[in-house]
Amino acid sequence: MSTPGVLAVVTVFSMIPGGLLSDIRDTQGLEGQQLARGSTVLHHRQKRGWIWKQLFVQEEDPTSQIIGQVKSDSDRGTFTIKYRLSGEGAGDVFKIDENSGEIWTLKKLDREKKAFYVLQAHAINTRTEEPVEPQSEFIIKVQDINDNAPQFLNEPYVSSIPEMSPVGTTVAQVTATDADDPMFGNNAKLIYSILQGEPYFSVQPKTGIIVTSWADMNREAREEYLVVVQVKDMLGLSGGYSSSTTVTVTLTDVNDNAPTFQQHVYTFALPENAAVGTTVGRIMAEDGDIGSNAKMTYRLEDDLIESSTFIIETDPVTQEGVILLGMPLDYESKRRYMMVAEASNNHPDTRFLPLDEFSDRTTLKIFVEDVDEPPVFFSAVYEWKIPENAAVGTVVGTVSARDTDTVKNPIRYSIDKKTDATNAFKIDPNNGTIAIAKALDRETADWHNMSVEAKETMQNHLSSSVVVFITVLDVNDNVPRLARDYQPYICEGTQAGELIHLLSAVDPDKAVEEHHFYYSMVPQERINPNFTIRDNQDNTAGIVARRSTFTRKDQTQYLLPVVLTDSGTPALSSTTTLTIGVCSCLPAGHCPTAGVEALALSGFSMQTLIGILVCLVTLTGKLMTKPAMLTLLREQEPVKTKNKSGCYYFHACSIRQFILDRLAEADQDPYVPPFDCLRTYAYEGSGSSSGSLSSLDSCLEFEPEKPVCNTNPYAVRLTPWYGGAEEDTFF
């Protein structure tokens, strides 16, 4: 082909609004103009470019129709060129007549699903299947029709505004959308209107904003409104679509109502014996508001005397005024009370009412009912004091009660026997005088706590009781005495002026710290050559030695009378004679035997001496913790002395001293056996050919030897004194 062809779209007319669908022109202006003028001479071939105008097809049209035509200017009608279509919807939604190039629709289209299609047109040589023209792209746009109704968004609509809102207050905004093309005609142009809710509300046609159109809407009259709003497309013209929605509008409360009592007078009755805090009654001021706007406070007028007898509180749940008894009632004193109660809002709003209109008042009348009451004592408790030496029949005091009722019944008195088990007191049943029935003793009972009853003698025999405390006062009726049974002793060798024993005293009349005791000797003993009494001025006294030559050989015990005087009025005294023993004390000054040593010097038999030695084992603490070597003397021969080498020989001297020396050696000897046994020392006498068998003839520095315990059948067990096991120690 010597002359290049031109692929063009032939314009096609249809019934689509606007008439002409589209045409296709050569985008290379110069080449197109040359072809139009019929020029056959081209010095060089230029690349073609096509600008396609949009093709339109109306949506929802089910008929197959031609919407345009594609044709090459090389097509001479000889069927050497065929046309093909590719791209979106090719062969499915659109087809092309390959001979004529006409484009057909195959089905109805929905713009809301797909608004346009992009396709490519091809001119092909039928013999060579080679493109005659480069492919050209074009767009088929689906033209909108009004086939969708508008739809509201964000349903349901709920809104609230304060009651009494002014006209024009915004309530809510409703919004609708339309799926149709907003750029084509009026299909998607919406307008709003009110179907229900007038004259209280109106809606702005273009924005859907709902506003109030009625002034002073009162929540107490109507709390909720249903507003129906309609939206139409096509600007509301006939033939368009519409839909509607409901807006629920609630009026919220404001404090535009004052509390109001429904009664001008409230009447109540209360028995005179009602307890403080008893509920007298309830009053209620009505308030049309709700929530915090309805909260109120009740009060009683302060300028009335009656208001001090009662109090009023607000029930936080019911908002009622609760009247309570604040003070005891007495029918005989006052039988009727009258007062004014006021209720006022807690949160007044002066936008709606003046401040003084947010309260209301009412009158309260309270009648006191008479009750038969028990007698009332003039005192809540009675306390008396009486000396313990008061005579039987002495009046302690008088209790008194009265009948507060109008009748004034007689009263009888009695003592509750459970509270006066000793029957120490009696009461006059007619006048309440309490007197002593038995002699009192403070040292036995220093106070009495009893209950006295007063009972009416007529009608219901009502009674009441009162507590009586009687304190028994002390008198000096007990002599002082020493605190315990003292057994003083004085050691041999005690020096003159040395303290022997410390004395203390007691007195049942008073506590020790309330007394002062005086110690002395009886007059005839004040020049006692042996002892004297030293008063320490702190309720104690000491026995002091006057000389230094006390020995058991001279005298084993002394008697010392001690006079003890108290500080009472009158002063009382007692005399106690102390027995002071003379003791051969241990080096530390302890007297372990309390006089047993004296028995050892009196020439008792050997059996008695053995018993005394056993007692020494028991009384000496040191023998309980250290092994001891005890010496049993089978004869009372002349006892020992000590030579220069430290050995012992028997001479006539004290057996007592010998025993004490042996005990001291046992305490200090490191070689004593680690267990207790009895070692026997025997003296055969001066005429024995074998001499002494005793170890006393040996020096103290002996070698340790294994102790031999006596297991003869006459053994005496030492376990009771030493605490050992049964097999440990024998005597």
Side-chain angles (χ1 to χ4, degrees):
M1 185 181 298
S2 59
T3 304
V6 178
L7 182 62
V9 176
V10 180
T11 59
V12 178
F13 292 91
S14 70
M15 296 303 295
I16 299 175
L20 182 63
L21 285 177
S22 177
D23 61 357
I24 304 175
R25 296 179 180 177
D26 187 356
T27 60
Q28 302 295 327
L30 178 60
E31 186 174 358
Q33 293 173 8
Q34 292 174 342
L35 290 175
R37 292 195 297 265
S39 175
T40 60
V41 180
L42 292 175
H43 299 283
H44 56 274
R45 183 183 180 90
Q46 295 183 358
K47 183 178 179 181
R48 293 182 179 184
W50 302 89
I51 298 178
W52 292 79
K53 291 185 179 180
Q54 289 182 340
L55 299 180
F56 292 91
V57 59
Q58 191 178 55
E59 68 171 331
E60 302 299 335
D61 188 352
T63 61
S64 179
Q65 56 182 311
I66 298 172
I67 60 173
Q69 185 180 20
V70 176
K71 190 167 184 168
S72 174
D73 60 355
S74 300
D75 188 354
R76 306 302 180 189
T78 59
F79 300 103
T80 58
I81 297 176
K82 62 181 178 180
Y83 301 96
R84 291 179 181 172
L85 195 64
S86 65
E88 295 178 332
D92 179 29
V93 179
F94 305 100
K95 72 175 181 176
I96 191 170
D97 187 317
E98 65 177 12
N99 294 319
S100 63
E102 295 174 338
I103 301 174
W104 292 72
T105 60
L106 298 177
K107 60 174 66 173
K108 69 177 181 178
L109 304 179
D110 188 353
R111 189 201 66 83
E112 286 70 42
K113 292 183 178 179
K114 191 169 179 62
F116 63 90
Y117 296 82
V118 180
L119 297 101
Q120 295 82 37
H122 307 269
I124 305 298
N125 187 292
T126 57
R127 183 175 59 83
T128 63
E129 293 293 326
E130 293 294 331
V132 177
E133 304 286 350
Q135 72 174 18
S136 295
E137 187 175 271
F138 63 98
I139 295 175
I140 300 176
K141 186 174 182 180
V142 182
Q143 193 174 43
D144 183 53
I145 65 172
N146 191 17
D147 61 341
N148 289 279
Q151 300 294 325
F152 281 99
L153 304 177
N154 304 319
E155 291 183 300
Y157 291 96
V158 177
S159 181
S160 62
I161 59 171
E163 62 173 330
M164 312 301 289
S165 294
V167 173
T169 300
T170 299
V171 177
Q173 182 177 18
V174 295
T175 303
T177 60
D178 195 314
D180 292 326
D181 190 355
M183 305 302 294
F184 185 80
N186 296 324
N187 294 343
K189 292 183 178 179
L190 308 178
I191 191 168
Y192 300 90
S193 62
I194 290 284
L195 294 182
Q196 178 183 318
E198 294 178 331
Y200 305 104
F201 303 95
S202 61
V203 64
Q204 296 178 1
K206 293 183 178 181
T207 62
I209 296 176
I210 303 171
V211 297
T212 58
S213 57
W214 189 272
D216 301 332
M217 285 188 290
N218 192 351
R219 185 200 65 83
E220 289 73 34
R222 183 177 178 181
E223 185 174 1
E224 186 177 272
Y225 295 83
L226 297 180
V227 180
V228 179
V229 179
Q230 183 186 64
V231 62
K232 284 186 176 183
D233 58 14
M234 299 292 290
L235 293 176
L237 299 175
S238 61
Y241 290 97
S242 67
S243 61
S244 63
T245 188
T246 300
V247 182
T248 302
V249 182
T250 303
L251 299 183
T252 59
D253 186 59
V254 298
N255 195 1
D256 59 340
N257 292 277
T260 304
F261 286 105
Q262 302 303 306
Q263 296 177 225
H264 295 295
V265 177
Y266 290 84
T267 303
F268 304 99
L270 193 68
E272 64 173 329
N273 62 349
V276 172
T278 300
T279 299
V280 180
R282 290 173 174 253
I283 59 176
M284 180 68 182
E286 300 291 341
D287 191 320
D289 298 319
I290 59 175
S292 61
N293 294 323
K295 289 187 177 181
M296 63 189 77
T297 300
Y298 294 87
R299 69 181 186 89
L300 300 176
E301 290 290 349
D302 295 333
D303 57 346
L304 297 178
I305 299 177
E306 286 82 350
S307 64
S308 62
T309 308
F310 301 91
I311 58 176
I312 189 167
E313 298 177 351
T314 302
D315 188 320
V317 178
T318 64
Q319 292 300 302
E320 293 176 301
V322 183
I323 306 167
L324 304 173
L325 180 61
M327 296 177 61
L329 301 175
D330 184 11
Y331 174 83
E332 289 70 29
S333 300
K334 191 172 181 62
R335 304 182 182 184
R336 188 182 72 168
Y337 294 84
M338 182 177 293
M339 65 203 77
V340 174
E342 182 183 71
S344 57
N345 273 146
N346 293 348
H347 307 288
D349 193 336
T350 55
R351 294 178 302 170
F352 306 104
L353 291 175
L355 183 61
D356 58 354
E357 293 186 16
F358 280 100
S359 62
D360 195 21
R361 303 171 73 187
T362 189
T363 301
L364 305 180
K365 290 183 179 181
I366 301 175
F367 294 91
V368 180
E369 298 174 340
D370 187 27
V371 174
D372 188 11
E373 299 173 294
V376 177
F377 284 92
F378 285 94
S379 178
V381 63
Y382 291 87
E383 296 186 48
W384 299 315
K385 296 180 180 180
I386 189 75
E388 63 177 322
N389 61 351
V392 173
T394 300
V395 174
V396 181
T398 301
V399 297
S400 181
R402 64 184 179 89
D403 184 4
T404 58
D405 295 322
T406 308
V407 181
K408 306 297 181 186
N409 292 316
I411 296 174
R412 291 185 64 83
Y413 301 91
S414 62
I415 296 177
D416 186 350
K417 298 302 181 182
K418 296 179 181 178
T419 61
D420 184 27
T422 60
N423 297 322
F425 301 92
K426 61 183 178 179
I427 190 170
D428 189 313
N430 297 314
N431 59 24
T433 299
I434 299 176
I436 299 175
K438 290 183 178 179
L440 303 177
D441 183 11
R442 190 201 66 84
E443 289 70 42
T444 302
D446 58 355
W447 61 275
H448 296 266
N449 180 3
M450 68 187 72
S451 177
V452 175
E453 182 183 65
K455 179 182 292 186
E456 295 179 357
T457 59
M458 300 180 67
Q459 292 187 359
N460 297 326
H461 300 287
L462 298 177
S463 64
S464 60
S465 59
V466 70
V467 176
V468 176
F469 292 100
I470 300 177
T471 301
V472 181
L473 301 177
D474 183 49
V475 296
N476 196 21
D477 58 347
N478 289 275
V479 298
R481 62 178 183 272
L482 292 177
R484 58 188 179 88
D485 184 15
Y486 292 102
Q487 295 181 352
Y489 63 88
I490 184 170
C491 296
E492 292 180 327
T494 298
Q495 300 299 313
E498 189 174 335
L499 177 66
I500 297 175
H501 209 85
L502 187 67
L503 306 177
S504 61
V506 294
D507 190 326
D509 287 327
K510 296 180 181 179
V512 174
E513 58 270 13
E514 299 179 13
H515 273 289
H516 184 75
F517 299 111
Y518 303 94
Y519 299 83
S520 63
M521 301 175 65
V522 295
Q524 58 269 26
E525 292 287 338
R526 289 182 180 173
I527 314 180
N528 189 308
N530 301 313
F531 305 99
T532 186
I533 299 296
R534 183 173 63 200
D535 194 329
N536 297 325
Q537 301 299 315
D538 60 355
N539 287 342
T540 65
I543 303 175
V544 179
R546 276 189 168 178
R547 60 185 178 87
S548 307
T549 57
F550 292 94
T551 63
R552 291 187 59 82
K553 181 178 180 182
D554 296 334
Q555 189 171 337
T556 59
Q557 62 184 16
Y558 297 85
L559 299 179
L560 179 64
V562 177
V563 178
L564 183 61
T565 307
D566 63 20
S567 58
T569 304
L572 299 180
S573 63
S574 64
T575 301
T576 303
T577 300
L578 299 176
T579 300
I580 303 176
V582 181
C583 180
S584 297
C585 298
L586 296 177
H590 177 61
C591 181
T593 57
V596 174
E597 299 94 326
L599 299 177
L601 302 175
S602 59
F604 289 110
S605 64
M606 183 60 63
Q607 290 81 2
T608 303
L609 181 59
I610 292 175
I612 293 172
L613 294 177
V614 172
C615 292
L616 286 175
V617 173
T618 305
L619 296 175
T620 304
K622 293 182 179 180
L623 295 180
M624 297 296 291
T625 58
K626 296 182 179 181
M629 292 191 299
L630 304 179
T631 302
L632 301 181
L633 303 179
R634 295 181 179 175
E635 297 182 22
Q636 294 191 43
E637 293 290 340
V639 294
K640 52 84 182 178
T641 59
K642 195 173 187 178
N643 61 14
K644 295 181 179 179
S645 62
C647 297
Y648 291 96
Y649 296 92
F650 279 90
H651 298 285
C653 68
S654 172
I655 298 176
R656 172 188 59 78
Q657 189 61 45
F658 170 73
I659 294 174
L660 294 177
D661 291 342
R662 294 275 70 76
L663 291 174
E665 288 180 6
D667 286 342
Q668 300 173 4
D669 192 350
Y671 299 105
V672 295
F675 51 85
D676 295 332
C677 69
L678 179 66
R679 176 170 295 174
T680 304
Y681 295 88
Y683 183 72
E684 298 298 325
S686 58
S688 172
S689 60
S690 59
S692 175
L693 300 178
S694 172
S695 60
L696 297 178
D697 290 334
S698 61
C699 185
L700 285 176
E701 289 79 13
F702 57 85
E703 292 295 327
E705 61 177 339
K706 182 177 180 181
V708 178
C709 296
N710 189 353
T711 57
N712 64 67
Y714 301 102
V716 178
R717 190 181 305 277
L718 294 179
T719 302
W721 296 281
Y722 287 131
E726 291 186 358
E727 69 275 17
D728 288 345
T729 306
F730 295 92
F731 178 78

